[in-house]
Amino acid sequence: MNAPQSPAETLRAALAGLLDGLPPRQAAQAVERLIGHYRGATPTDAPILRDRADVAAYAAYRMPATFEAVRSALRAFAAAVPGWVPGGHVDVGGGTGAASWAVTATWGGVRPVTVLDWAEPALALGREVAAANPALRDARWQRSRIGAALTLESTDLVTVSYVLNELTAPDRAALVDATAAAAQAVVLV
Ligand SMILES: C[S@@+](CC[C@H](N)C(=O)[O-])C[C@H]1O[C@@H](n2cnc3c(N)ncnc32)[C@H](O)[C@@H]1O
């Protein structure tokens, strides 16, 4: 009998083939565009992840590493608070859901999960990939803009991974206020 897959293996398998349907030239252009954005001047006032090609490129090339980085931070957090298990999780600027995968890899069980992002293509692909993870099958993937109007449902854990750098100073301040008001624990990566 085969050993069960680890969450990292499940994620890699779910991401494999993401670029298959994409013409190589389009995939290469999407990767170049993303590299340009992430090296260049952020924040932006419009989503960087604009379409399926951008999102597939981001997920294929960045998501496994982002997942590992967030999992490592969460492991350290879990070790510091033994016995604490989040009863609910909100992933702000969650994109394709790397941090949500990392939460499921850190604490077993199923909990209400909400992923918020302003980029609809990222949410759509995140939902698709998450179908491979039983703990994320009922997650809600919701369009939401981080800014002064942001309000978050009350929850145990909020994650914000690789997002702060993309925000203007006022939006960053609004996010910090909203997360502090909503959660028992906030993990920023
Ligand atoms: C570098 S990606 C990180 C995605 C995900 N958290 C991860 O760790 O893979 C930044 C994410 O923040 C989202 N984002 C940036 N500014 C935002 C804003 N003002 N409101 C909502 N989402 C925003 C982007 O759409 C993108 O999905």
Side-chain angles (χ1 to χ4, degrees):
M1 202 169 87
N2 292 335
Q5 280 190 326
S6 70
E9 288 165 341
T10 307
L11 176 60
R12 279 178 198 280
L15 293 175
L18 218 49
L19 297 177
D20 283 356
L22 214 58
R25 194 175 146 73
Q26 206 185 340
Q29 282 170 344
V31 170
E32 284 306 313
R33 206 163 49 231
L34 291 179
I35 290 172
H37 269 300
Y38 286 121
R39 283 204 186 130
T42 49
T44 60
D45 56 9
I48 293 170
L49 301 174
R50 297 177 314 193
D51 55 27
R52 172 84 186 187
D54 284 352
V55 171
Y58 180 84
Y61 291 114
R62 293 292 314 147
M63 201 173 160
T66 306
F67 162 82
E68 291 297 350
V70 179
R71 182 164 67 159
S72 160
L74 292 174
R75 271 190 182 152
F77 175 74
V81 200
W84 186 82
V85 177
H89 170 217
V90 176
D91 189 11
V92 188
T96 51
S100 298
W101 277 77
V103 169
T104 68
T106 307
W107 293 282
V110 178
R111 60 191 58 83
V113 178
T114 304
V115 183
L116 304 174
D117 205 285
W118 66 354
E120 180 59 36
L123 295 169
L125 188 132
R127 186 187 293 114
E128 202 179 302
V129 172
N133 183 339
L136 290 179
R137 266 183 210 145
D138 292 329
R140 293 186 300 158
W141 300 80
Q142 281 180 2
R143 196 117 182 241
S144 172
R145 182 182 182 123
I146 299 163
L150 178 71
T151 52
L152 298 175
E153 65 191 87
S154 177
T155 188
D156 284 353
L157 174 66
V158 170
T159 51
V160 181
S161 85
Y162 297 97
V163 176
L164 292 182
N165 208 30
E166 292 191 17
L167 303 178
T168 61
D171 287 353
R172 210 176 293 147
L175 175 59
V176 169
D177 287 349
T179 54
Q184 268 184 21
V186 180
V187 175
L188 296 173
V189 178

